[in-house]
Amino acid sequence: MGDKAQIQEAIKTQGEVVRKLKTEKASQEQINEEVAKLLQLKASLGEDDGKHQFVLKTAKGTRDYNPKQMAIRERVFNTIVGSFKRHGAETIDTPVFELKETLTGKYGEDSKLIYDLKDQGGELLSLRYDLTVPFARYLAMNKITNIKRYHIAKVYRRDNPAMTRGRYREFYQCDFDIAGQYDAMIPDAECLKIVYEILSELDLGDFRIKVNDRRILDGMFAVCGVPKDKFRTICSTVDKLDKLPWEEVRKEMVNEKGLSEAAADQIGEYVSMQGGLDLAERLLKDQKLSQSKDACDGLTDIKLLFTYLQIFQVTDKVVFDLSLARGLDYYTGIIYEAVLTQAGVSLVSAEGQNGAPPEESVNVGSVAGGGRYDGLVGMFDSKGRKVPCVGVSIGIERIFSIMEQKAEASAEKVRTTEVQILVASAQKNLLEEKLKLITELWKAGIKAEVMYKKNPKLLSQLQYCEEMGIPLVAILGEQELKDGVVKLRAVATREELDISRSDLIGEIRKRTSEA
Amino acid sequence: MGDKAQIQEAIKTQGEVVRKLKTEKASQEQINEEVAKLLQLKASLGEDDGKHQFVLKTAKGTRDYNPKQMAIRERVFNTIVGSFKRHGAETIDTPVFELKETLTGKYGEDSKLIYDLKDQGGELLSLRYDLTVPFARYLAMNKITNIKRYHIAKVYRRDNPAMTRGRYREFYQCDFDIAGQYDAMIPDAECLKIVYEILSELDLGDFRIKVNDRRILDGMFAVCGVPKDKFRTICSTVDKLDKLPWEEVRKEMVNEKGLSEAAADQIGEYVSMQGGLDLAERLLKDQKLSQSKDACDGLTDIKLLFTYLQIFQVTDKVVFDLSLARGLDYYTGIIYEAVLTQAGVSLVSAEGQNGAPPEESVNVGSVAGGGRYDGLVGMFDSKGRKVPCVGVSIGIERIFSIMEQKAEASAEKVRTTEVQILVASAQKNLLEEKLKLITELWKAGIKAEVMYKKNPKLLSQLQYCEEMGIPLVAILGEQELKDGVVKLRAVATREELDISRSDLIGEIRKRTSEA
């Protein structure tokens, strides 16, 4: 009882500490710290008069994954990693934070979205914003000039979250990149092949992969009369065309970015063009655009790319689209982005005869994107040695959202474990016998559970199986033990049969082997 | 310019620091650290005369995983997850950062090691310190009272890294926990069974699992005359017994923590005891210790635990050890810790006839630990509703280190991809034919690569296979194309045979199916 009085005294003192800090307008952090101590004292008293004051939530823009969501996530990852491995990729991992300066100057206007760590002494650190910059740092640091690798990990952006549409502040990226000095467009085409495979296998409905080239954009800006120092900022504006109508984008170019109306209108003509190999050929003969060496280099590569894409049998979904810009600073060549389109939407195929925009196409958001970045690794090299790279990042969160909605709509139950059998009994005092049996099963590699009760009711054991989708039950009773058998019950059919202990493992394997 | 002069001065000083360390043959880690500072100073000067001065390193205490390390990591994870799934666990995931207040007051003296994020407006956030507190927050937030889940993810501690011994600031934890109101010691015993399975399957050499109970420690402190408000701090000191000799620990108790010499000596007697069920029985009759209800409750549970452990066939590695304390504040009952012991070390078995400490036992570090924490979830519940929990955390980084050393020592080459075949040619101008063939292979699910060159030399293609451990090569030539065949070459034996295109996929599958 002395204890209690002591704590009550401590609560009083701590309450004063908090009041004083508040009066003195101390930092919120300091106040929170002391309030937490106070609450803890109160909790330790056990007299919590009903309410603790904890805020029970995850950080803004983040979420937990429950077991059902994890089961779906695992399925999606397996499909994606399956494709990456089929194409011979290795995998690496990098720390979740990097030296702040490693990220500095890589993301253009988006740098403000980087999460910094508090300066607690020592190095200044930031959470990674993507997996590409850490990859480039890794290559330069280890002097690696050739690698094909994938990396699946979370990245962090202090963006305005729109979680219902799959936009988070903490989210997974699944990146596949090919680094090395190779012949033109072969690795680039493989990246697109992989996007095609993954989106097809995930069965998310129809999709389209837009392709463009930074050099074509630059050439287009040059021949349309954009001053060179405005290329990047005008490019950012063009990038908004997937969300805004041309009129708005034009307004931003002219009013905010100070572009002439004539230049904007010329850009407007080009960025409305979509097609395939044919469009690249036509533009190579375009009087204005062919003046730019950059544009011609880009167009020649687009032509070669489509030749390889035809062999890879993916041109039905790939569109050369001059409005595709992509925000990041580091791209130097081919860029691409995959969007899901609603079912039944007419799509301009790569072989399409004209560049008209697809009718009724509804942009439900980008699910993959990437491109060539030949300069990024050199930014980390003390001698500026370049390692050409091309890669793609799968935007997995949107895909999770869609898969989750699908799972919810479907009648099929998502299993969250792979348990094959529950070891159960109808009678009392058989816990030790059940533990003996389950030890045998575990030893044989069987996935098995037993209820953590000495004497659970048979009904509650069977209900647990229904709930978790466990297909089999091994029922032990005095008689079974005497006879050296187990009653094996199939949960779905309720059929039961006695089976000798020595045959049990084989029978479980037979009944639960995946077809 | 004054600034510049200052920096130049600092560069000079720092240069001397580095030179001095090198002369003194300081640790490479320390030298790297100071070189990094030097480079940073130089970079801040902005005079990079053609060469960038980026500091190419990962943050202190963190590391990249290269493909070989990832291959080993995947193997270790597969073993661990295999065991978790065999025991019927679901999995969840939580964000890498939590609201700062969620972590406040959960880690005792270790709270200072928490990484905070910078206040950039909005919530105050911290990187997770372990997976247990986020788990408890998850349970309380979602009002979950029953779950068996595993969670594999990275956690963060601003500790002094000792990376050669597998101690990092960013490191994986693999946690398995059982939450729910169950009969005593059944889930607890399963946690120990899992540790036993995992450490056996990973084949890391001999190990020992120490078991104790917080209530036994508290009871022991009480009967030895430790004041109640010193239980936690004396417990932290006892926790150091795995690193320090008793004499040092005693000194800390008496000199720093102000304990009486008599009390310390009594504790010293108890914490030297090790044994099994027999020791628990003996202590239940111990005149002094049996005065404490806490201690009796703990000892009764230890007895029951060992009964279940005997059925689970794991008592050859489990030791009831009164010196085991574990640092974290939240444990309320059974606690345990697994340590690797060097091969051939004599170990006090649980059935051992006396409590003598093991001879020549070398503590090479804890690789798993856990215990019961019945109060933690209640700390997050507005009504203080408790959810009893017990769990274990596998310290995977030490295990990675050991596996890596093993892999390096072994002649066996670690493959970093699963590629089954390389599509190659000896002649020029066959790129498109190769791409056609590889498209067929990918479609059939074969893991296949092709060099990203138009006309690679056959020798360099074969060398690539050797290097990457690719077992098969499909060689295309004009003649093969005419004949509708492929030359299939086994890399190891150099045997070649012509095989028709239609039989190729079956043959690849047959030759590369895992036995």
Side-chain angles (χ1 to χ4, degrees):
Chain A
M1 283 327 265
D3 251 11
K4 207 162 183 177
Q6 244 177 335
I7 296 174
Q8 271 159 343
E9 195 53 42
I11 289 175
K12 225 170 110 186
T13 318
Q14 185 63 20
E16 277 156 25
V17 170
V18 171
R19 266 187 300 279
K20 187 151 170 276
L21 285 176
K22 283 183 179 168
T23 327
E24 289 170 353
K25 299 206 188 306
S27 78
Q28 196 55 45
E29 193 178 343
Q30 211 181 341
I31 294 174
N32 288 348
E33 186 89 6
E34 299 301 326
V35 168
K37 281 185 201 159
L38 180 60
L39 289 174
Q40 222 173 346
L41 281 168
K42 284 186 178 170
S44 74
L45 204 58
E47 283 180 352
D48 49 11
D49 49 288
K51 34 186 177 174
H52 294 217
Q53 298 291 355
F54 288 108
V55 183
L56 264 183
K57 63 187 288 290
T58 61
K60 185 178 172 188
T62 69
R63 64 157 169 173
D64 297 317
Y65 286 81
N66 66 32
K68 217 170 256 179
Q69 291 165 326
M70 287 299 280
I72 292 167
R73 183 171 118 178
E74 245 182 75
R75 242 159 37 193
V76 174
F77 280 159
N78 284 344
T79 302
I80 292 173
V81 170
S83 177
F84 291 162
K85 286 191 173 177
R86 197 157 53 241
H87 290 264
E90 306 176 294
T91 185
I92 69 161
D93 196 15
T94 64
V96 80
F97 44 67
E98 294 278 342
L99 298 186
K100 187 174 164 57
E101 61 180 298
T102 298
L103 306 190
T104 303
K106 309 301 185 303
Y107 302 107
E109 293 176 9
D110 288 346
S111 292
K112 62 180 184 295
L113 303 180
I114 293 173
Y115 277 98
D116 291 331
L117 267 69
K118 189 171 154 186
D119 183 358
Q120 295 172 285
E123 301 157 335
L124 292 178
L125 306 173
S126 301
L127 296 186
R128 61 184 164 210
Y129 179 87
D130 64 9
L131 302 177
T132 310
V133 168
F135 174 55
R137 191 266 306 148
Y138 173 81
L139 294 187
M141 188 171 133
N142 297 288
K143 300 199 174 11
I144 294 166
T145 55
N146 292 280
I147 192 172
K148 175 161 59 178
R149 81 88 182 80
Y150 70 91
H151 187 187
I152 297 186
K154 288 175 179 173
V155 301
Y156 299 87
R157 301 187 183 177
R158 298 181 59 252
D159 215 336
N160 267 334
M163 304 202 284
T164 47
R165 295 189 293 125
R167 280 172 64 100
Y168 294 87
R169 288 181 158 198
E170 171 184 65
F171 58 98
Y172 268 103
Q173 282 196 336
C174 301
D175 280 20
F176 172 94
D177 294 83
I178 301 170
Q181 187 71 59
Y182 298 123
D183 285 334
M185 294 300 112
I186 313 177
D188 312 60
E190 188 169 16
C191 288
L192 292 170
K193 170 74 173 169
I194 285 174
V195 175
Y196 186 99
E197 278 182 6
I198 289 172
L199 294 182
S200 302
E201 281 176 45
L202 287 174
D203 197 18
L204 300 166
D206 211 357
F207 62 90
R208 173 174 46 161
I209 307 173
K210 301 187 217 169
V211 177
N212 199 4
D213 193 297
R214 270 284 164 90
R215 292 164 300 171
I216 299 174
L217 284 165
D218 284 353
M220 175 181 87
F221 293 144
V223 302
C224 292
V226 179
K228 191 148 189 193
D229 62 343
K230 285 196 175 148
F231 280 13
R232 278 290 147 273
T233 184
I234 294 297
C235 193
S236 303
T237 308
V238 169
D239 191 38
K240 296 181 181 166
L241 271 174
D242 59 343
K243 279 168 209 133
L244 300 176
W246 165 249
E247 269 317 309
E248 301 266 332
V249 168
R250 183 182 183 281
K251 210 180 286 172
E252 183 176 316
M253 285 182 179
V254 175
N255 298 352
E256 286 175 41
K257 308 275 168 103
L259 201 64
S260 75
E261 298 209 342
D265 288 337
Q266 285 182 46
I267 292 173
E269 258 175 61
Y270 282 116
V271 296
S272 70
M273 295 180 183
Q274 294 185 326
L277 207 155
D278 57 320
L279 176 59
E281 278 175 344
R282 218 171 66 227
L283 286 173
L284 271 171
K285 294 178 205 136
D286 181 276
Q287 273 211 327
K288 215 163 31 178
L289 201 56
S290 61
Q291 304 285 310
S292 156
K293 187 182 173 300
D294 268 350
C296 291
D297 289 350
L299 290 164
T300 309
D301 272 354
I302 290 274
K303 268 184 64 182
L304 186 58
L305 178 72
F306 270 88
T307 316
Y308 297 147
L309 294 180
Q310 271 163 359
I311 299 174
F312 284 159
Q313 302 176 5
V314 300
T315 43
D316 59 320
K317 307 284 189 197
V318 183
V319 187
F320 171 31
D321 182 330
L322 277 88
S323 75
L324 179 71
R326 294 190 61 73
L328 297 175
D329 268 12
Y330 49 62
Y331 291 117
T332 53
I334 289 286
I335 49 177
Y336 33 82
E337 194 166 288
V339 293
L340 299 181
T341 55
Q342 251 148 21
V345 162
S346 78
L347 208 66
V348 174
S349 100
E351 280 88 9
Q353 65 276 44
N354 65 53
E359 283 164 39
E360 301 171 66
S361 153
V362 184
N363 179 354
V364 296
S366 156
V367 289
R372 179 161 281 284
Y373 50 101
D374 289 348
L376 189 59
V377 179
M379 288 174 76
F380 289 106
D381 188 87
S382 59
K383 291 186 181 131
R385 280 166 299 207
K386 286 188 177 179
V387 178
C389 294
V390 63
V392 63
S393 181
I394 312 289
I396 201 70
E397 301 292 340
R398 265 209 70 75
I399 294 173
F400 289 153
S401 295
I402 295 166
M403 302 293 272
E404 278 173 39
Q405 283 163 24
K406 266 179 139 180
E408 222 139 287
S410 126
E412 195 209 343
K413 211 173 156 182
V414 179
R415 277 199 76 181
T416 57
T417 73
E418 299 164 19
V419 174
Q420 296 162 286
I421 192 160
L422 181 80
V423 175
S425 63
Q427 295 152 3
K428 289 198 170 184
N429 302 322
L430 289 173
L431 175 62
E432 298 203 355
E433 290 298 338
K434 283 186 283 180
L435 296 184
K436 264 182 215 168
L437 177 57
I438 203 169
T439 304
E440 286 171 32
L441 297 179
W442 286 334
K443 198 171 175 182
I446 303 288
K447 298 181 183 101
E449 281 191 281
V450 65
M451 305 291 271
Y452 299 124
K453 298 270 184 187
K454 277 185 182 164
N455 300 308
K457 295 200 179 94
L458 185 61
L459 187 64
S460 68
Q461 296 174 77
L462 296 177
Q463 275 171 345
Y464 181 74
C465 291
E466 297 273 5
E467 201 181 299
M468 300 299 289
I470 301 172
L472 297 173
V473 195
I475 304 175
L476 283 179
E478 296 294 350
Q479 192 57 49
E480 284 82 8
L481 285 168
K482 216 175 285 165
D483 300 345
V485 299
V486 171
K487 202 178 281 304
L488 188 65
R489 179 182 168 117
V491 176
T493 61
R494 300 181 185 191
E495 276 172 78
E496 292 184 350
L497 89 166
D498 282 355
I499 186 161
S500 78
R501 295 277 285 235
S502 55
D503 292 341
L504 178 63
I505 285 162
E507 184 67 20
I508 297 170
R509 284 202 188 121
K510 206 179 81 191
R511 296 224 202 165
T512 56
S513 71
E514 274 128 53
Chain B
M1 284 325 265
D3 252 9
K4 209 163 183 174
Q6 244 177 333
I7 295 174
Q8 271 159 343
E9 195 53 42
I11 288 176
K12 223 170 113 188
T13 317
Q14 186 62 21
E16 275 156 25
V17 169
V18 171
R19 264 187 302 279
K20 188 152 169 278
L21 285 176
K22 283 183 179 169
T23 326
E24 289 169 354
K25 299 205 188 305
S27 78
Q28 197 54 45
E29 197 177 336
Q30 210 182 340
I31 294 175
N32 289 348
E33 186 89 5
E34 298 302 326
V35 168
K37 281 185 201 158
L38 178 61
L39 289 174
Q40 221 169 352
L41 282 168
K42 283 186 179 170
S44 73
L45 207 58
E47 284 179 351
D48 52 9
D49 47 290
K51 12 178 191 164
H52 301 217
Q53 296 293 354
F54 287 107
V55 182
L56 267 182
K57 64 186 288 288
T58 60
K60 187 178 173 187
T62 69
R63 64 158 170 175
D64 298 317
Y65 287 80
N66 66 32
K68 218 170 255 180
Q69 291 166 328
M70 287 299 279
I72 292 167
R73 184 171 118 177
E74 245 181 76
R75 247 169 21 200
V76 173
F77 280 159
N78 284 343
T79 302
I80 292 173
V81 171
S83 177
F84 291 162
K85 286 191 172 177
R86 195 157 54 240
H87 289 264
E90 306 176 294
T91 185
I92 69 161
D93 196 16
T94 64
V96 80
F97 44 67
E98 295 278 342
L99 298 187
K100 186 175 164 57
E101 62 182 295
T102 298
L103 306 191
T104 304
K106 308 300 185 302
Y107 301 107
E109 293 177 8
D110 289 345
S111 293
K112 61 180 184 295
L113 302 181
I114 293 173
Y115 276 98
D116 291 332
L117 267 69
K118 189 171 158 185
D119 184 358
Q120 296 171 284
E123 303 157 333
L124 291 176
L125 306 172
S126 301
L127 297 186
R128 60 184 164 212
Y129 179 87
D130 66 9
L131 302 177
T132 310
V133 168
F135 174 56
R137 190 267 305 147
Y138 172 82
L139 295 187
M141 188 172 135
N142 297 288
K143 299 200 178 4
I144 294 166
T145 55
N146 292 280
I147 192 171
K148 175 161 56 178
R149 81 88 183 79
Y150 70 90
H151 187 186
I152 297 185
K154 288 176 180 173
V155 302
Y156 300 87
R157 300 186 183 178
R158 297 180 60 251
D159 216 336
N160 267 335
M163 305 203 284
T164 46
R165 294 189 295 126
R167 280 173 64 100
Y168 294 88
R169 289 182 156 196
E170 170 183 65
F171 59 98
Y172 268 101
Q173 282 195 336
C174 301
D175 279 21
F176 172 94
D177 293 83
I178 300 170
Q181 187 72 58
Y182 298 122
D183 284 333
M185 295 299 111
I186 314 176
D188 313 60
E190 188 168 17
C191 288
L192 292 171
K193 171 75 173 164
I194 285 174
V195 175
Y196 187 99
E197 278 182 6
I198 289 171
L199 294 183
S200 303
E201 282 177 44
L202 288 175
D203 197 19
L204 300 166
D206 210 356
F207 61 90
R208 173 174 47 162
I209 307 173
K210 300 186 215 170
V211 178
N212 198 4
D213 192 298
R214 269 285 163 91
R215 293 165 299 173
I216 299 175
L217 284 165
D218 284 354
M220 176 180 86
F221 294 144
V223 301
C224 292
V226 179
K228 192 151 190 190
D229 61 345
K230 284 197 175 145
F231 280 14
R232 279 289 147 274
T233 183
I234 294 296
C235 193
S236 303
T237 307
V238 169
D239 191 37
K240 295 180 183 167
L241 270 174
D242 58 343
K243 279 168 210 135
L244 300 177
W246 165 249
E247 270 316 308
E248 301 265 332
V249 169
R250 184 183 182 280
K251 210 180 286 174
E252 183 176 316
M253 286 182 179
V254 176
N255 298 351
E256 286 174 41
K257 309 273 167 102
L259 201 63
S260 75
E261 298 210 343
D265 289 338
Q266 285 182 47
I267 292 173
E269 256 176 63
Y270 283 115
V271 296
S272 70
M273 295 180 183
Q274 294 185 326
L277 209 154
D278 56 321
L279 175 61
E281 279 175 344
R282 220 172 60 226
L283 287 173
L284 271 170
K285 294 178 206 137
D286 181 275
Q287 274 211 327
K288 216 163 31 178
L289 201 55
S290 60
Q291 303 286 310
S292 156
K293 189 184 172 300
D294 269 349
C296 291
D297 289 351
L299 290 164
T300 309
D301 273 353
I302 290 274
K303 268 183 64 183
L304 185 58
L305 177 72
F306 270 89
T307 316
Y308 297 146
L309 293 180
Q310 269 162 1
I311 299 174
F312 284 160
Q313 303 176 4
V314 300
T315 41
D316 58 320
K317 309 282 189 196
V318 183
V319 187
F320 171 32
D321 181 330
L322 276 90
S323 76
L324 178 71
R326 293 191 63 73
L328 296 175
D329 267 12
Y330 48 63
Y331 291 117
T332 54
I334 289 285
I335 49 178
Y336 33 81
E337 194 165 287
V339 292
L340 298 182
T341 54
Q342 253 150 19
V345 162
S346 79
L347 209 65
V348 174
S349 100
E351 280 91 7
Q353 66 275 43
N354 66 54
E359 282 164 38
E360 302 172 63
S361 152
V362 183
N363 179 354
V364 297
S366 155
V367 289
R372 179 160 282 284
Y373 50 102
D374 289 348
L376 189 59
V377 178
M379 288 174 76
F380 290 106
D381 188 86
S382 59
K383 289 183 181 137
R385 278 167 300 207
K386 287 188 177 179
V387 177
C389 294
V390 63
V392 63
S393 182
I394 311 290
I396 200 71
E397 301 292 341
R398 264 209 69 76
I399 294 173
F400 289 153
S401 295
I402 296 165
M403 302 292 272
E404 277 172 41
Q405 283 162 22
K406 266 179 138 180
E408 222 142 286
S410 125
E412 194 206 345
K413 212 174 157 180
V414 179
R415 275 199 76 182
T416 57
T417 74
E418 298 164 19
V419 174
Q420 297 161 286
I421 192 161
L422 181 80
V423 176
S425 64
Q427 295 152 2
K428 289 198 170 184
N429 302 319
L430 289 174
L431 175 63
E432 298 204 355
E433 289 299 337
K434 282 186 284 182
L435 295 184
K436 264 182 216 169
L437 177 57
I438 203 169
T439 304
E440 286 171 32
L441 297 180
W442 285 335
K443 199 171 177 185
I446 303 289
K447 299 182 184 98
E449 282 191 281
V450 65
M451 306 291 272
Y452 298 124
K453 298 270 183 184
K454 276 186 180 160
N455 300 308
K457 293 198 180 98
L458 185 61
L459 186 64
S460 68
Q461 296 174 79
L462 295 177
Q463 275 170 346
Y464 182 75
C465 290
E466 298 272 4
E467 200 181 301
M468 300 298 290
I470 302 172
L472 297 173
V473 194
I475 304 175
L476 283 179
E478 294 296 349
Q479 192 57 46
E480 284 83 7
L481 286 168
K482 217 175 282 167
D483 301 345
V485 299
V486 172
K487 201 178 283 304
L488 187 65
R489 177 183 170 116
V491 175
T493 61
R494 301 181 183 190
E495 276 172 77
E496 293 184 349
L497 89 166
D498 283 355
I499 187 162
S500 78
R501 297 276 286 233
S502 56
D503 293 339
L504 178 62
I505 286 162
E507 184 68 18
I508 297 170
R509 284 200 189 123
K510 206 179 78 191
R511 295 221 200 168
T512 56
S513 71
E514 275 128 54

